[in-house]
Amino acid sequence: MSALGDIGRNLRLLPSTLRGSIVRHGAVGSDRARSQAVFSNFFLHVHATRVHKHSLRPSTTWGLGVVALILFGILCVTGTLLMVYYKPSVADAYDSVKDLAFVVPTGRMMRNVHRWAAHGMVAVVLLHMARVFYTGSYAGPRAFNWVLGMVLLVLTLGLSFTGYLLPWDQLAYWAITIGANIAQSPREITDALGVTGTFDPGGMTRDLLLGASTVGQEALIRFYVLHVVVLPVALSVICAVHIWRIRKDGGINRPVDIDLELGPDVRGGRAIFPEGSGKTYGLMALVEGRTAAVDRGPEHTVPSWPHLFQAQMLLLVLTTLAMLALGYFFDAPLKEIANPAIPENPAKAPWYFLGLQELVSYSAFAGGIFIPTIVVIGLMLIPYLDRETDGAGRWFAGRRGKRVALSSALFSALFVSGLLWFTVEAGWLRNWVPDIPQLVITVFNPGTVLVVAFAAWSLGTVHRTGSTRMGAIALFTCFLIAFAIMTYFATYLRGPNWGFYWSASDWPELH
Amino acid sequence: MKDVEKKPLQESERFASEVPRRDLLGLAAFWSFIGTGVVMVAGALRLPMPSVFPETGSKFRIGKPDRYAVGSSTRISDRNVLVLRDGGGFRALSLVCTHLGCISQREESGAFVCPCHGSRFDATGKVVEGPAPSPLRYLEVSRMPSGDLVVDRDRPVPPDRRLAV
Ligand code: HEM
Ligand code: FES
């Protein structure tokens, strides 16, 4: 009898017991309650309960890491929707993409948003890397997070590359043919040494990538699996570690003397939670960091809820609106169906690979494998080769760094433009010595000349300034500017047969 | 180091120090764990490495010799080869660019140019400009008992090798 009564009472209490079983915190009417919510909620607890004011300044991060994450989220959602109709078979792929663009309700919008968010993510991740670099936020405890970031960059590019094949149009087919042959290009070396028969790493990677000797059904399925499962899962896992480590490494990097700079905290010596104490609270839960603010209150910090969350929601709204606008006004390109007999002319990779395509047009191995590999390894090593902490957390580590960055940018701009002008006007070794062995060109070409010049400039800077940080800034700036100029050059000044043209209106008629 | 030794050992530390280092079972367990991991990864990576290629053989027929006039060059479009016949016989020139695999196209002058990164080859296939590391390849031409000509995509031959008919 009373047990039956219990059921009645429990039923009446259901709304509150249900809520209590899901969320572990009470009403969020006070700072303390909100902090407890952040602390005990699975989705919120990636954030610290309080953040430093410096971390919330737009100029600290420009929100770029968060935007990268939001774009990845948008890509996962739109990508899953596209999967509903997309068919990864040579016979159907192109038609299913056409259906998405012309028949499926909202299909065109989803495809457009997916495409622009993918481009956006590459751009934003690159900018995020630059901001982390120039604020010196790779030093000290953050060294390994920088390395994880590099892995994320490579995964992001891998996602773009594998996604590029899926529409199975002319652009897709030839970009991937070129890409797969770049994977095979160690043969440029093994052929020259005459050992390809016994030792053929190039052929092996190509076989692994394509599952065949040319781009076809096998390759399409492989790229599909990489694009929709392997790479997104890898990226999600490493992203989780990346973001978890930000907290473990003490939150967003900030100058050591920032608290002095900001002056005394307006709240004076007041307790963090003035609204009375319900529960004792470990300080650990409130202030993350190696420099756990022992004997200093968490000065200049504000509760994550609402300050950080509002900022993040603003970024979410702005990013989503930007993607919707792009998707509404601009259609993602779709060329004719893949034709293995006639390449697009010019056959251009997506913009972020065009700088590489320019390098590859000097030597496949040097431009496609050697230089990218040393750039990636070089970037990963930065925090281990430069361990200075002076000025960490400040853009360019102060005045001197700004000057170094500026002079390096100027040097790189002049050097790269000069070199491009020279190769366009005068050609390169093969134009002068027609029978020159390929190995000589592989070792000595405009790409490798650039790398050597930048390395020399950077070592010179280290010598001149006596600072490894300045050397790192010099090197990074040189490569960044070279990347920008090469990308521009290959996008706008290269035409049919990879010839040089001031403008597309000068392109010859093609038959 | 000395400071540490002065402190009394914790329960767990005392236990650890009593266990012989070369604990056979422990080592065996550890290395079987590592071994399992290695075998799993190697096995997983072996699968995508194709041992049979899906392509339908490397040879393809290009028809009877009388389809090709002496002195002609004919493009077999879906195979990306150019069949050349001169007084000495037949040759087959692959149009696949030796740089990164685009298809080079013949210009009116008879030279070949690749659209992807601008490699140029003269009428015989020799590189004259651009990043291609080696000349266009000539492929083996042979004749079947039926009289049909056959080209083998996987068998490059020297540029002067002709099949006389
Ligand atoms: C998928 C790509 C990536 C995502 C989603 C991502 C996400 C984030 C987020 C949300 C933050 C917090 C601070 C901020 O918004 O700037 C952050 C910080 C950081 N990221 Fe990334 N990131 C990515 C790629 C990279 C790359 C390419 C690098 C560098 C190679 C990198 C290195 C770092 C480092 C060192 C920090 C800590 C910075 C500091 O403490 O000031 N990340 N990342
Ligand atoms: S593929 Fe022919 S020039 Fe690059």
Side-chain angles (χ1 to χ4, degrees), chain A residues 318-403:
Chain A
L318 291 181
T319 311
T320 310
L321 281 182
M323 289 304 128
L324 285 177
L326 281 173
Y328 185 80
F329 289 112
F330 302 99
D331 281 340
L334 186 64
K335 301 265 174 166
E336 300 85 52
I337 192 165
N339 176 356
I342 305 175
E344 276 285 295
N345 194 359
K348 290 196 181 181
W351 63 269
Y352 38 84
F353 284 140
L354 276 181
L356 273 188
Q357 193 169 347
E358 181 62 29
L359 291 183
V360 159
S361 80
Y362 309 133
S363 153
F365 178 73
I369 305 243
F370 179 68
I371 294 176
T373 308
I374 58 167
V375 167
V376 168
I377 293 179
L379 282 170
M380 281 197 185
L381 284 180
I382 285 181
Y384 302 96
L385 298 185
D386 162 39
R387 303 177 39 163
E388 282 172 29
T389 47
D390 287 359
R394 287 188 198 287
W395 280 88
F396 303 101
R399 266 255 185 61
R400 184 171 63 153
K402 243 176 239 169
R403 270 203 311 273

Side-chain angles (χ1 to χ4, degrees), chain A residues 178, chain B residues 97 99-102 114 116-119 131-132:
Chain A
I178 292 172
Chain B
C97 178
H99 180 225
L100 292 173
C102 288
C114 176
C116 291
H117 315 93
S119 285

Side-chain angles (χ1 to χ4, degrees), chain A residues 332-488:
Chain A
L334 186 64
K335 301 265 174 166
E336 300 85 52
I337 192 165
N339 176 356
I342 305 175
E344 276 285 295
N345 194 359
K348 290 196 181 181
W351 63 269
Y352 38 84
F353 284 140
L354 276 181
L356 273 188
Q357 193 169 347
E358 181 62 29
L359 291 183
V360 159
S361 80
Y362 309 133
S363 153
F365 178 73
I369 305 243
F370 179 68
I371 294 176
T373 308
I374 58 167
V375 167
V376 168
I377 293 179
L379 282 170
M380 281 197 185
L381 284 180
I382 285 181
Y384 302 96
L385 298 185
D386 162 39
R387 303 177 39 163
E388 282 172 29
T389 47
D390 287 359
R394 287 188 198 287
W395 280 88
F396 303 101
R399 266 255 185 61
R400 184 171 63 153
K402 243 176 239 169
R403 270 203 311 273
V404 168
L406 210 64
S407 60
S408 304
L410 213 63
F411 165 74
S412 177
L414 289 176
F415 195 85
V416 174
S417 320
L419 195 64
L420 288 174
W421 174 80
F422 178 81
T423 47
V424 166
E425 287 293 316
W428 200 252
L429 295 171
R430 176 117 60 213
N431 302 79
W432 316 323
V433 192
D435 288 319
I436 195 157
Q438 178 60 30
L439 210 52
V440 178
I441 300 182
T442 306
V443 173
F444 184 71
N445 62 62
T448 53
V449 168
L450 276 188
V451 172
V452 172
F454 292 169
W457 172 266
S458 156
L459 292 177
T461 308
V462 174
H463 184 70
R464 192 160 50 79
T465 59
S467 154
T468 52
R469 174 92 178 109
M470 293 302 127
I473 291 184
L475 193 62
F476 189 89
T477 310
C478 281
F479 274 106
L480 195 68
I481 297 294
F483 173 78
I485 294 182
M486 293 275 204
T487 305
Y488 171 82

Side-chain angles (χ1 to χ4, degrees), chain B:
Chain B
M1 207 50 210
K2 263 181 196 146
D3 283 1
V4 176
E5 277 161 9
K6 267 186 224 149
K7 275 194 237 153
L9 286 178
Q10 298 273 306
E11 182 68 20
S12 59
E13 283 170 334
R14 196 157 354 112
F15 178 69
S17 68
E18 276 163 13
V19 176
R21 295 230 162 177
R22 294 191 172 277
D23 173 349
L24 187 67
L25 282 178
L27 281 179
F30 177 74
W31 286 107
S32 0
F33 178 73
I34 298 288
T36 314
V38 169
V39 170
M40 271 164 58
V41 171
L45 284 181
R46 181 64 191 87
L47 183 141
M49 193 71 210
S51 51
V52 179
F53 280 3
E55 283 102 353
T56 49
S58 63
K59 293 183 174 180
F60 52 91
R61 266 187 266 191
I62 55 169
K64 297 267 188 313
D66 49 16
R67 270 180 57 187
Y68 305 92
V70 175
S72 70
S73 57
T74 314
R75 181 172 170 160
I76 314 287
S77 195
D78 55 344
R79 301 292 187 174
N80 296 322
V81 296
L82 200 64
V83 179
L84 308 167
R85 180 173 192 181
D86 58 17
F90 281 92
R91 290 183 298 166
L93 179 63
S94 164
L95 295 175
V96 177
C97 178
T98 51
H99 180 225
L100 292 173
C102 288
I103 307 304
S104 47
Q105 311 285 324
R106 189 153 52 148
E107 296 195 312
E108 269 134 48
S109 62
F112 300 92
V113 53
C114 176
C116 291
H117 315 93
S119 285
R120 278 175 187 282
F121 309 87
D122 68 13
T124 67
K126 193 169 154 297
V127 191
V128 287
E129 201 183 314
S134 53
L136 292 177
R137 297 182 314 154
Y138 284 86
L139 305 176
E140 187 187 72
V141 186
S142 55
R143 212 163 165 194
M144 304 215 311
S146 66
D148 278 338
L149 294 171
V150 173
V151 176
D152 190 335
R153 186 162 37 77
D154 285 352
R155 285 189 165 225
V157 294
D160 50 1
R161 168 103 46 94
R162 288 174 173 77
L163 176 78
V165 266

Side-chain angles (χ1 to χ4, degrees), chain A residues 61-76 116-132 149 152-153 156 159 235-236 239 242-243 246 312 315-316 318-320 323:
Chain A
T61 64
W62 294 113
L64 290 164
V66 173
V67 173
L69 195 62
I70 292 168
L71 287 172
F72 181 58
I74 293 179
L75 284 164
C76 289
W116 303 137
H119 282 287
M121 182 165 166
V122 174
V124 167
V125 168
L126 288 173
L127 290 174
H128 168 63
M129 176 174 80
R131 109 67 195 150
V132 170
L152 287 175
L153 173 65
T156 306
L159 271 165
L235 194 115
S236 308
C239 239
H242 187 66
I243 287 162
I246 296 168
Q312 290 179 344
L315 290 174
L316 176 75
L318 291 181
T319 311
T320 310
M323 289 304 128

